[in-house]
Amino acid sequence: MAIVSDFWLREAGLEVLAHPGAVESSAYHAITEPFHIAPHHHERSIQIDVIAGCKGRLFIDDQWLGFESDIGHIAYPSQTHGYSLEKRTKDAVVYHFKLMLDPEIEFVKEQVLPRASELGEKVSQIVSIAENARQSWGDPSSPRVSAAIQLLQILSAWPTSRNALGAVSTLDVDDHVEVAASMIEGALDDPPSLDELASASGISGRHLTRLFVASTGMTPARYATVRRLDRAKVLLISRRTPIADVADELGFASPATFTRWFRMNEGRTPTEFRDSPTVF
């Protein structure tokens, strides 16, 4: 398929600038310990990840692929994706954006950019733009169009070569952990107990905990808390959802209970986080 080099970018740019709300969310995570996101997909959103200073594996095309370099990752609508990361350098970080575009435009329909690419010498440029986009998106005084323009700059700088990542043995990602992690992801409003996770996984709770810590660096309970907190943050910053609605969606008995839980795990209240969402 031949595409004029920048036609897709001009078309995507017009779409984003006409609808700045197409940039649904912007997030950031400093990697200080093993970090795992179970395979999942988004029906309509495009997920764009800038992964720098990490090593680990990406879930792409129904398999885990290993990497030990700076990676750019894109998941188009309905494509299953996930990752398991470890710190490789002192500045290990993931920038994460979600973008909603017309499925008929060239960029989405033809999946112009590869699912995963080594960022190589472009990593400093792309990370710098990603940081500016994150700050613009989280700043209530900044026009949303600023983050949209910067996201387009990231796509413009994105490597177009399809770098081969190494396939990882299925033994490297334990099936029991995947079952439990997926079960947690599907019930963030009422996280399952260790006994329920163990029963679904077909092993003892003690064995599951050992496997979970080996794969993710966290116990199942801690993983559930982290993912629940992640979901709360997305709701707080991407849809400006009222705090009472966030509490209800995540299964808390009251906004006050949710606020206490959020402050205990995040170190600040939901309102303080929303006013300055510096870390995801």
Side-chain angles (χ1 to χ4, degrees), residues 49-51 58 70-74 114-119 158-159:
D49 297 307
V50 177
I51 305 172
L58 296 174
D70 302 314
I71 292 290
H73 164 256
I74 295 179
R115 293 286 308 277
S117 290
E118 294 178 355
L119 298 179
W158 205 265

Side-chain angles (χ1 to χ4, degrees), residues 188-240:
L188 293 179
D189 60 332
D190 185 19
S193 67
L194 179 59
D195 286 345
E196 290 171 328
L197 293 172
S199 177
S201 302
I203 56 177
S204 71
R206 186 175 180 181
H207 188 195
L208 176 62
T209 298
R210 285 199 300 268
L211 293 174
F212 218 97
V213 170
S215 293
T216 70
M218 310 178 214
T219 65
R222 179 59 186 163
Y223 179 85
T225 296
V226 168
R227 295 301 297 137
R228 205 179 190 193
L229 190 63
D230 286 347
R231 178 60 180 161
K233 291 177 180 179
V234 168
L235 292 171
L236 287 167
I237 67 175
S238 66
R239 301 204 316 242
R240 308 298 290 182

Side-chain angles (χ1 to χ4, degrees), residues 94-152:
V94 175
Y95 290 92
H96 163 94
F97 304 92
K98 284 185 184 175
L99 183 63
M100 178 89 71
L101 293 176
D102 183 341
E104 294 303 312
I105 69 171
E106 199 82 7
F107 171 59
V108 184
K109 188 174 182 179
E110 301 297 339
Q111 299 182 11
V112 174
L113 294 178
R115 293 286 308 277
S117 290
E118 294 178 355
L119 298 179
E121 62 184 16
K122 293 186 175 183
V123 62
S124 295
Q125 175 191 5
I126 292 176
V127 166
S128 177
I129 300 170
E131 174 62 18
N132 290 335
R134 177 182 73 86
Q135 292 189 11
S136 295
W137 199 94
D139 182 356
S141 67
S142 176
R144 185 56 54 87
V145 70
S146 298
I149 290 172
Q150 287 155 347
L151 188 53
L152 291 172

Side-chain angles (χ1 to χ4, degrees), residues 12 16 19-25 44-48 75 77 97-101 107-108 148 151-152 155:
V16 169
H19 307 96
V23 183
E24 293 185 297
S25 66
R44 299 179 61 193
S45 300
I46 300 163
Q47 180 167 317
I48 300 169
F97 304 92
K98 284 185 184 175
L99 183 63
M100 178 89 71
L101 293 176
F107 171 59
V108 184
L151 188 53
L152 291 172
L155 295 178

